[in-house]
Amino acid sequence: MGPKNATPAEEYATDEEVVAAIRSLSAADLIRLGKYAAYRARALFGLGMGGDDLLQEAIQRTVKGTRRWRRKKVKFVTHLYKTIKSVSDHAGDELKGGHVVAATAEDSDGRLDGVALLSHIMDPECAAAAAEQVAKIEKKFASDTEVGLLLDGLSKGMSGPEIQQDLQISVNDYETIMTRLRRGVDRERGWRP
Amino acid sequence: MSASSEPKDRLRALFDALADQVEAMTDEEVLDDAAAAGMDVTAEASRVRGVLLGAVVTAKKARLTEAMAAHRQNVAALAHRSARIPTAPLERRALLMSSLERRPQVKDGITLQHRAFTSFSDADVEMLLKQLDALGLLDDDPESKS
């Protein structure tokens, strides 16, 4: 007998329901998802993952059952956002800690293979590439004080509301500056982040 | 940016924040933003959908491969166990009887369900031995004697 609060199997989506949900996503949903995954992947600098890798990983976990979709309780697109965030947060924590734990073994395609990843993230060339990218962004916004202050806040680990409070700006102002930052970053690589 | 953290950490903070912002955008904002950036919205939407659908196929194949590997393991284990059943009919009957004598309840169940052991065909004996073997109830099964 399972635990009292176990989710009944019928609440989880079948493969066919997952496929149907993918087919029903709107153009805006798909573009937003693609951009979201691409940014999350870029946040994992050093892993060599792209946005498509995160999208694939989210779907594979859903279908394989390691991160199932409760179709009646959660919108499919929300499930994907949460799954992508979970995958990237987990990988990001490992990057930050400078080590790889066994949990990434479920990413069985070899991209997150422990030894290879460990040697890659400790690679001085990788660190230099990250520094170069930061310098490029700083240079791009050198004349934009507001974006510079926002970047400072982010690099100190501050949340959006904390930055708003620190800079004494409204939510709208914050969003406007973020949008300027985002568009500027996107322009570096064409429309795809 | 502040020099208080590693470049990789700064990139992570920046792109995580951008991801959060994109997630909160309305459909209209997403489409306007894409069009302003010169994106072919239809082509990009189709591409992302293809990535997602392709991942479903990959996951299903992986699951099938895993299931087939597990099945092969089970078959191999069963073949290994079956190899322990004697080939001579008399030895088979002797093994069946000794196994059942040690388990009266199983024996009673089989006689109730079927008939007297003496009328069992060689095929019946073989089938019962295989079933008992799969259950770990064969008399020469070390686990069954514990």
Side-chain angles (χ1 to χ4, degrees):
Chain A
M1 195 191 291
K4 273 184 181 176
N5 295 328
T7 304
E10 62 270 19
E11 283 192 23
Y12 293 118
T14 62
D15 293 350
E16 291 70 28
E17 286 166 336
V18 171
V19 168
I22 293 171
R23 291 195 190 286
S24 70
L25 291 173
S26 69
D29 283 335
L30 290 161
I31 287 163
R32 188 168 31 227
L33 261 177
K35 287 192 79 142
Y36 177 84
Y39 286 135
R40 289 279 177 219
R42 286 192 74 184
L44 299 173
F45 192 89
L47 268 185
M49 292 182 88
D52 288 357
D53 295 322
L54 285 178
L55 290 172
Q56 286 164 350
E57 188 63 37
I59 290 291
Q60 287 182 17
R61 289 185 185 202
T62 303
V63 173
K64 285 181 182 172
T66 53
R67 179 106 187 176
R68 301 168 83 181
W69 169 38
R70 296 178 72 176
R71 68 194 200 298
K72 288 182 181 169
K73 297 214 166 183
V74 183
K75 281 174 67 180
F76 181 62
V77 77
T78 306
H79 165 79
L80 287 183
Y81 283 126
K82 285 184 174 178
T83 306
I84 289 168
K85 187 167 189 321
S86 167
V87 173
S88 63
D89 280 353
H90 186 80
D93 288 345
E94 288 167 12
L95 272 178
K96 200 169 185 178
H99 64 92
V100 181
V101 294
T104 53
E106 68 186 58
D107 302 319
S108 55
D109 56 8
R111 281 193 308 271
L112 300 183
D113 170 71
V115 176
L117 174 58
L118 191 59
S119 62
H120 182 65
I121 61 179
M122 294 178 77
D123 184 352
E125 282 183 28
C126 177
E132 189 182 332
Q133 203 171 119
V134 170
K136 208 171 174 180
I137 293 167
E138 282 178 333
K139 189 179 172 190
K140 184 169 187 64
F141 294 102
S143 60
D144 191 329
T145 312
E146 289 177 323
V147 169
L149 290 170
L150 191 147
L151 286 170
D152 261 341
L154 290 174
S155 67
K156 287 174 188 161
M158 293 166 76
S159 66
E162 285 170 340
I163 292 173
Q164 287 161 36
Q165 195 174 14
D166 192 50
L167 301 182
Q168 295 189 319
I169 55 175
S170 67
V171 175
N172 282 347
D173 288 342
Y174 174 81
E175 288 300 326
T176 303
I177 301 168
M178 274 297 286
T179 300
R180 209 157 64 232
L181 169 62
R182 181 169 52 76
R183 287 180 175 166
V185 168
D186 285 357
R187 270 196 294 275
E188 283 290 311
R189 292 161 66 119
W191 52 262
R192 192 172 292 169
Chain B
M1 285 188 209
S2 161
S4 62
S5 55
E6 292 292 318
K8 277 190 286 192
D9 295 336
R10 293 190 228 175
L11 289 175
R12 187 180 173 191
L14 165 63
F15 287 107
D16 278 344
L18 292 180
D20 290 341
Q21 198 204 23
V22 164
E23 184 185 358
M25 284 166 72
T26 65
D27 287 1
E28 194 181 359
E29 285 169 339
V30 169
L31 295 174
D32 286 350
D33 210 54
M39 180 194 289
D40 181 339
V41 170
T42 308
E44 176 62 4
S46 173
R47 190 194 69 79
V48 174
R49 198 191 308 278
V51 169
L52 298 175
L53 290 172
V56 173
V57 174
T58 305
K60 285 170 81 172
K61 277 184 186 167
R63 201 173 52 197
L64 185 64
T65 304
E66 283 168 19
M68 285 172 71
H71 176 66
R72 274 196 296 272
Q73 269 189 335
N74 288 339
V75 169
L78 199 61
H80 176 70
R81 293 184 77 92
S82 295
R84 299 185 309 129
I85 297 174
T87 50
L90 282 177
E91 285 179 37
R92 285 182 170 182
R93 277 178 196 275
L95 177 58
L96 177 62
M97 291 313 293
S98 65
S99 298
L100 292 178
E101 288 304 329
R102 290 171 56 84
R103 295 166 191 82
Q105 285 179 319
V106 177
K107 185 181 178 184
D108 291 347
I110 290 173
T111 48
L112 273 175
Q113 194 181 350
H114 298 279
R115 53 194 183 270
F117 286 103
T118 48
S119 61
F120 272 28
S121 68
D122 287 346
D124 291 335
V125 170
E126 184 182 1
M127 183 194 68
L128 280 169
L129 283 174
K130 283 181 176 174
Q131 288 177 352
L132 290 175
D133 196 22
L135 294 169
L137 297 177
L138 266 194
D139 203 28
D140 68 339
D141 191 327
E143 290 172 19
S144 70
K145 290 179 178 171
S146 58

